[in-house]
Amino acid sequence: MSTKSPCYNTAHNASYSQVSMSPPEVSGSATTSGMHSATSSSYAGSASGEYDSSGSSAAGSSVDLVELLNDRMTGAFDPLPLDRGLAKQAQTSGELNAKHRELMELQALAQRRLASTRVNFADGMKAAKDVKKDLDWTQKRVSALKTKAERKYPTEYKTANNRYPAIADY
């Protein structure tokens, strides 16, 4: 064991339970939202030889770095805000997908209505053309009858025309 720092025992495994370095000192400038900065001066002990990575320190003082980092991250990291954010993101994504499906359904409905309106408009145009054709035929027929009546009965036609004048054409 190193003489500079005390050993910390955990109840995990006797051969990997000793840490040969001291925990980092907490300073006001070295913290960022409750987490220690890796560049703070409290980690200088590892660089100055407190931790010997070659394993030549005291026998049985091996350090499980993964477990040590996991323990420190577990203590410093609060997953609750991330879980809330992930839940909010999933909820928002679900709402967005629902709105997208609703928009697709409304678009399909609008396309069906447009197709129906086009069919109705085409039917209406056909009916209007038929009415115009019928009116033109009727106008020709009335004009022909009027001409025939004027030739066959000129005095009666003139009297009737004076008594009931024709409506002005548009």
Side-chain angles (χ1 to χ4, degrees), residues 127-140:
K129 286 178 183 177
D130 289 344
V131 167
K132 183 175 180 355
K133 187 174 87 172
D134 290 346
L135 286 173
D136 288 343
W137 180 84
T138 304
Q139 183 64 38
K140 280 185 196 177

Side-chain angles (χ1 to χ4, degrees), residues 27-155:
S27 67
S29 63
T31 59
T32 306
S33 69
M35 295 177 47
H36 296 290
S37 171
T39 60
S40 71
S41 63
S42 63
Y43 286 96
S46 347
S48 66
E50 253 186 55
Y51 172 71
D52 187 8
S53 63
S54 66
S56 64
S57 62
S61 67
S62 299
V63 175
D64 185 5
L65 286 178
V66 173
E67 184 178 337
L68 174 66
L69 290 175
N70 190 24
D71 289 345
R72 286 188 179 178
M73 283 301 293
T74 301
F77 178 69
D78 184 15
L80 192 59
L82 287 178
D83 290 346
R84 286 184 186 141
L86 187 60
K88 181 68 174 171
Q89 182 182 8
Q91 180 183 8
T92 305
S93 176
E95 290 171 358
L96 182 64
N97 286 338
K99 288 293 182 184
H100 180 68
R101 281 191 301 273
E102 184 180 348
L103 283 174
M104 295 303 285
E105 290 171 3
L106 289 173
Q107 184 179 17
L109 177 64
Q111 288 175 346
R112 286 191 304 271
R113 286 181 178 174
L114 179 63
S116 174
T117 302
R118 284 184 176 160
V119 167
N120 289 342
F121 180 75
D123 289 345
M125 288 302 293
K126 183 178 182 241
K129 286 178 183 177
D130 289 344
V131 167
K132 183 175 180 355
K133 187 174 87 172
D134 290 346
L135 286 173
D136 288 343
W137 180 84
T138 304
Q139 183 64 38
K140 280 185 196 177
R141 187 72 182 139
V142 167
S143 294
L145 287 172
K146 182 178 169 186
T147 306
K148 188 175 180 182
E150 187 178 4
R151 265 189 267 138
K152 191 169 185 179
Y153 307 104
T155 53

